[in-house]
Amino acid sequence: MGQRKVVGQMAVFEVWEGDELGLGQRRCRPMEPRASRGWQQADRGSPTSLMHPAITSKVICCHFSSDGKLLASGGYNKKAVLWYTDNLKAKAALEEHSMLITDVRFSSSMPCLATSSFDKTVRVWDADWVSGLVLLFINNGSCARVFKGGMVQMRFQPRHGRYLAAAAENVVSILDVETQACRHSLQGHTKPIHSVCWDPSGEFLASLSEDSVRVWTLGSGNEGECVHELSCNDNKFHSCVFHPTYSSLLVIGCYQYLELWNMSENKTMTLSAHDGLIAALAVSTVSGLVASASHDKIVKLWK
């Protein structure tokens, strides 16, 4: 198989007891990173690249299908390209946006792909799965549904999958993919929204701007109501994600720091995490890990 080398860095963290947030336990302290736990790649001369005539400019977003067999990417050339991950070949290029694509997302529970753009539209592409391997687009790849208002970021509702949250300027639109209707227009932010995320149950949605974060209920009863709100003090907010284990804990990425917000008790705790802006956060509900990615060129894992 040849030699293997570390091509990135992944810091590992361990847990010790603490009750600063009223959760009974769970704080994080860093351990020395181990090379064996870093990102690794077989050394075969050069990294594997995805090349296609549709990619002629910067790529700024990508997302895997739920089974990991397809990857969607999008960016400045106004096209969303779908790739087979096993042979690295392009499946299709979707070309109906008039400006750069800001986000691409597969639904985990419905056979569809959503794309958002600076043209202020969200496009939902119908698809049929054939033996779990092939994605066939209806109407020869033309877009089935177009919603107005999505521009910055969008996220499909987990578990149920029917709703798509799309942020544009200071408003989050909740789009019903099945009925093609805008169910809610969540308003309350005074500054542009940077990030949106669902909790694992799909009952709550968080929206974040640089000066505040709001949590909305979208489960049974009182849909579209803001149930929690937190304003920033000194460090501007940039990214957010619900903790994969504690549903009442929201993790917020700022400049160099992570803000941990226990919504049920309205308590916060600040952790020194990076040397730059924490641009993105991700979680795994399987492993219980939280990942933070920063402009300091480091990705860290937290548990």
Side-chain angles (χ1 to χ4, degrees):
M1 293 180 61
Q3 294 180 334
R4 298 180 70 85
K5 64 179 179 180
V6 176
V7 296
Q9 185 176 2
M10 183 187 300
V12 182
F13 289 76
E14 66 180 2
V15 177
W16 81 90
E17 299 298 317
D19 197 22
E20 288 80 355
L21 294 174
L23 297 173
Q25 60 176 2
R26 300 275 180 178
R27 284 183 62 193
C28 300
R29 68 179 178 187
M31 298 170 59
E32 289 298 322
R34 300 179 182 177
S36 62
R37 298 188 183 184
W39 297 101
Q40 294 183 335
Q41 172 186 302
D43 186 2
R44 297 176 181 173
S46 63
T48 300
S49 300
L50 299 176
M51 302 296 294
H52 189 268
I55 297 182
T56 57
S57 54
K58 293 180 181 178
V59 179
I60 59 175
C61 55
C62 62
H63 190 232
F64 282 105
S65 60
S66 57
D67 62 5
K69 294 176 180 177
L70 288 171
L71 176 71
S73 64
Y76 278 65
N77 64 354
K78 312 171 196 175
K79 301 178 178 69
V81 182
L82 276 82
W83 310 87
Y84 291 113
T85 57
D86 56 354
N87 59 19
L88 308 182
K89 292 182 179 180
K91 163 63 181 174
L94 313 176
E95 308 183 24
E96 292 192 13
H97 283 290
S98 61
M99 299 184 72
L100 71 87
I101 292 176
T102 58
D103 206 359
V104 291
R105 306 296 293 187
F106 284 100
S107 170
S108 61
S109 57
M110 298 177 63
C112 60
L113 171 77
T115 57
S116 64
S117 168
F118 270 179
D119 63 14
K120 297 185 178 180
T121 65
V122 171
R123 295 175 181 266
V124 181
W125 309 78
D126 278 329
D128 289 326
W129 292 99
V130 180
S131 301
L133 295 173
V134 182
L135 195 61
L136 300 176
F137 286 93
I138 297 175
N139 298 327
N140 296 318
S142 62
C143 181
R145 306 166 196 140
V146 178
F147 299 97
K148 299 291 185 180
M151 187 171 69
V152 179
Q153 192 180 73
M154 59 184 178
R155 294 291 184 268
F156 273 104
Q157 181 186 32
R159 294 182 60 190
H160 312 290
R162 180 173 178 175
Y163 290 162
L164 178 67
E169 298 180 350
N170 62 346
V171 177
V172 180
S173 299
I174 304 300
L175 311 175
D176 190 319
V177 176
E178 291 185 352
T179 65
Q180 306 180 31
C182 180
R183 291 293 301 270
H184 301 284
S185 182
L186 307 180
Q187 303 182 42
H189 287 280
T190 58
K191 294 191 176 183
I193 295 170
H194 293 317
S195 179
V196 292
C197 64
W198 294 90
D199 82 317
S201 71
E203 301 290 319
F204 296 94
L205 176 80
S207 58
L208 176 144
S209 60
E210 68 175 30
D211 64 341
S212 69
V213 58
R214 289 171 167 254
V215 177
W216 314 81
T217 177
L218 289 159
S220 56
N222 300 320
E223 277 200 2
E225 179 182 345
C226 180
V227 292
H228 301 289
E229 183 177 4
L230 178 70
S231 298
C232 76
N233 293 320
D234 300 320
N235 208 345
K236 294 179 180 179
F237 298 154
H238 190 79
S239 52
C240 66
V241 71
F242 280 91
H243 193 279
T245 304
Y246 298 105
S247 60
S248 63
L249 184 64
L250 189 73
V251 183
I252 302 169
C254 309
Y255 180 74
Q256 297 184 333
Y257 293 93
L258 286 174
E259 191 87 8
L260 307 182
W261 178 29
N262 183 343
M263 295 171 287
S264 62
E265 299 191 10
N266 199 26
K267 293 181 179 181
T268 61
M269 184 175 73
T270 302
L271 295 177
S272 179
H274 286 273
D275 292 328
L277 177 70
I278 300 174
L281 294 165
V283 299
S284 169
T285 55
V286 176
S287 65
L289 292 174
V290 178
S292 58
S294 170
H295 287 183
D296 64 8
K297 302 178 183 179
I298 294 176
V299 175
K300 293 185 178 181
L301 297 184
W302 305 79
K303 187 177 179 67

